[in-house]
Amino acid sequence: MKRARGIVPAALIGALIGASFFLVFAALNYMSLGRDLPAARQAVIAAFDAGQLGHQDSLRGNTGIGQHQFNDCLILAMALDQDAAAGRLAVSPIRPLYARTGGPCSDLERYARGQTPDGRLYFYHNYIHGQTMLTRLLLPAIGVKGMRSLYHLLGTLVLLGGLLAAMLALVRGRRSGLFWLIAFIGFARFFGLEAFGQSLGHGPSDLAILGFALVLAVAGLAGGARPRLLVPLAAAFGALTIIFELLTGGAPLGLALLIGGTAFAMREDDDILPCILAAVAAYCAAITACIACKGAFVAYQFGPGDLRIPVLELGVRTGVLIVPGIDPALNPVAFVGRMVEGLDSLIPGMRWLALGILVLAAGFGAWGFGRLRRTPERIKAVLIAASCLPIFLWFPIFRQHTMMHAWFMDRILVWIAISGFSLFALAISQGRSLDRSDPGGSTDLACGTP
């Protein structure tokens, strides 16, 4: 039954939902201000004293306190420093800076121990900063270690829930469960969660991705997602994704999941392609609406001139504005080298295994696609293959950012492994069904009734 909404109405719904989510976030952000600041400050001091925070920005492969200390310290510092008008802080947090800075972790400890920052206030407009809001709410109650443990626990529970849903689908004879089994195993093993899942920056973003994957897997297990619910669900997912996006790759990975995963959460009698196009429109519109709202709030609170800051930063990140000493557009060898170096973010400490996994997935995925495109399941095969495009495009578009931060941006390449192995496994499964002359062998791939 064709129940998919048109792209334009879906985009309008997505924009409305995105703006609504942003307003809720702004309200929560305002409410988080002034929340037991002495306890929050003491929690940071205690974390430094206990070795849960240190002055080293990056701890490659560290599974104890996490790999990305830079962002952890930056978020904690912005959560603590509330020496400005509440209306402004509800829009953008302050980053405390010192003339002789030792990096964000050094600055954080100096601020927590009472040393006054130097110079003028620096409002950090570049992101929506959902992580800072969560930190303001959680830090006084459970401390740094508690927040990390909470993010790791929630990620673990979501992954286990996804694996359970996938296996139950397989027990019921639905080969959609095969896709979700590979997806959740892929996220569990090749997404570097042991070194990033506890991060105050990566944790919330990862949970948004994994949580949406779980929703899709459960919807398929329950008989298929209803197309009329797909647009608002995708819009809500887009809003949460951008609220917790720190240019770590959540937006392209979320789009890839939406394109490739939604087909395995729908009923067989639904027209899949129009549904997914509408969902993608809603997702993108929600993200755009949140960014537009953030820009409007910045212009209102700080003046239109402050919008130059994120625009210029975006120019640097994309390589449009060249940073002295780094010109990835003219240095493709260095670009590829940085990408390879960063592959240990997928499997901490095992860069070459990660590279081998990606090569195998791409090669055998291409073979699987060749087999599936000649079957009734070719639409799903095309969607899985197409879902890799946001991942591939992200890196060259943000080429300067990739040169600097491939050591955590490479994580989104997990989707290449998931897609490739899924295409291969589904092609093998399809072939065996046809060999047994099972006319219904290919009808349950989209979570239809076996």
Side-chain angles (χ1 to χ4, degrees), residues 32-47 79-82 111-114 135-136 139-141 143:
S32 73
L33 296 172
R35 179 179 172 83
D36 205 352
L37 275 175
R41 188 183 296 262
Q42 188 56 45
V44 170
I45 295 173
L80 288 185
D81 193 343
Q82 300 181 25
Y111 185 81
R113 296 189 187 276
T135 301
R136 287 175 182 154
L139 180 62

Side-chain angles (χ1 to χ4, degrees), residues 216 225-235 258 262 266 275-276 279 282:
L216 292 179
R226 298 183 180 221
R228 69 179 64 181
L229 298 179
L230 199 55
V231 164
L233 183 63
L258 185 64
T262 302
M266 297 180 64
C275 290
I276 292 180

Side-chain angles (χ1 to χ4, degrees), residues 261-403:
T262 302
F264 296 90
M266 297 180 64
R267 294 175 296 189
E268 187 64 24
D269 60 346
D270 289 319
D271 198 348
I272 294 174
L273 189 56
C275 290
I276 292 180
L277 290 175
V280 168
Y283 174 89
C284 295
I287 288 177
T288 303
C290 286
I291 294 173
C293 287
K294 172 67 187 251
F297 274 50
V298 169
Y300 176 76
Q301 284 289 344
F302 302 91
D306 269 34
L307 292 176
R308 293 176 60 252
I309 298 172
V311 171
L312 290 174
E313 182 69 15
L314 182 63
V316 171
R317 298 297 188 182
T318 57
V320 175
L321 299 178
I322 301 301
V323 176
I326 299 178
D327 186 4
L330 301 178
N331 196 347
V333 174
F335 182 85
V336 173
R338 290 290 180 88
M339 290 285 294
V340 173
E341 287 177 11
L343 289 176
D344 62 350
S345 62
L346 280 75
I347 312 174
M350 305 189 75
R351 176 185 303 124
W352 299 111
L353 176 60
L355 179 59
I357 291 293
L358 292 175
V359 171
L360 287 173
F364 283 93
W367 177 87
F369 177 80
R371 293 283 298 267
L372 289 171
R373 68 185 179 87
R374 296 190 296 269
T375 73
E377 293 167 355
R378 59 186 175 275
I379 294 297
K380 298 181 183 67
V382 169
L383 288 170
I384 294 175
S387 71
C388 298
L389 287 177
I391 306 298
F392 287 129
L393 292 175
W394 178 260
F395 295 105
I397 289 175
F398 289 91
R399 54 188 184 273
Q400 188 273 349
H401 189 63
T402 299
M403 286 285 288

Side-chain angles (χ1 to χ4, degrees), residues 135-156:
T135 301
R136 287 175 182 154
L137 293 172
L138 296 174
L139 180 62
I142 61 178
V144 175
K145 183 178 181 180
M147 290 183 65
R148 288 171 169 164
S149 298
L150 176 63
Y151 292 157
H152 247 169
L153 175 61
L154 292 176
T156 299

Side-chain angles (χ1 to χ4, degrees), residues 34-287:
R35 179 179 172 83
D36 205 352
L37 275 175
R41 188 183 296 262
Q42 188 56 45
V44 170
I45 295 173
F48 275 109
D49 291 342
Q52 297 157 7
L53 287 170
H55 289 185
Q56 191 171 349
D57 292 340
S58 173
L59 300 169
R60 298 293 282 264
N62 189 298
T63 60
I65 63 177
Q67 179 164 318
H68 203 163
Q69 289 294 285
F70 186 103
N71 269 14
D72 281 8
C73 293
L74 179 62
I75 290 166
L76 287 165
M78 292 189 298
L80 288 185
D81 193 343
Q82 300 181 25
D83 189 18
R88 289 191 162 194
L89 287 172
V91 176
S92 296
I94 299 172
R95 178 181 177 181
L97 293 172
Y98 295 86
R100 295 185 177 180
T101 179
C105 291
S106 176
D107 290 352
L108 169 63
E109 184 171 20
R110 292 162 72 181
Y111 185 81
R113 296 189 187 276
Q115 183 175 340
T116 303
D118 303 314
R120 66 181 182 85
L121 294 180
Y122 177 74
F123 285 92
Y124 202 5
H125 297 316
N126 293 359
Y127 309 107
I128 296 178
H129 293 288
Q131 288 90 337
T132 302
M133 178 267 291
L134 287 179
T135 301
R136 287 175 182 154
L137 293 172
L138 296 174
L139 180 62
I142 61 178
V144 175
K145 183 178 181 180
M147 290 183 65
R148 288 171 169 164
S149 298
L150 176 63
Y151 292 157
H152 247 169
L153 175 61
L154 292 176
T156 299
L157 292 176
V158 172
L159 286 171
L160 290 175
L163 289 170
L164 177 61
M167 289 185 285
L168 288 176
L170 287 171
V171 168
R172 296 184 180 182
R174 297 172 181 170
R175 284 187 293 119
S176 62
L178 188 59
F179 173 85
W180 291 116
L181 184 64
I182 292 172
F184 283 103
I185 289 176
F187 280 124
R189 187 62 190 95
F190 308 126
F191 197 37
L193 289 173
E194 56 268 47
F196 289 94
Q198 70 273 61
S199 167
L200 306 190
H202 294 272
S205 177
D206 291 350
L207 286 171
I209 299 290
L210 298 175
F212 185 68
L214 176 60
V215 168
L216 292 179
V218 171
L221 179 65
R226 298 183 180 221
R228 69 179 64 181
L229 298 179
L230 199 55
V231 164
L233 183 63
F237 176 49
L240 289 175
T241 297
I242 198 63
I243 286 172
F244 294 115
E245 175 65 280
L246 295 177
L247 272 186
T248 55
L253 182 56
L255 182 57
L257 173 62
L258 185 64
I259 295 171
T262 302
F264 296 90
M266 297 180 64
R267 294 175 296 189
E268 187 64 24
D269 60 346
D270 289 319
D271 198 348
I272 294 174
L273 189 56
C275 290
I276 292 180
L277 290 175
V280 168
Y283 174 89
C284 295
I287 288 177

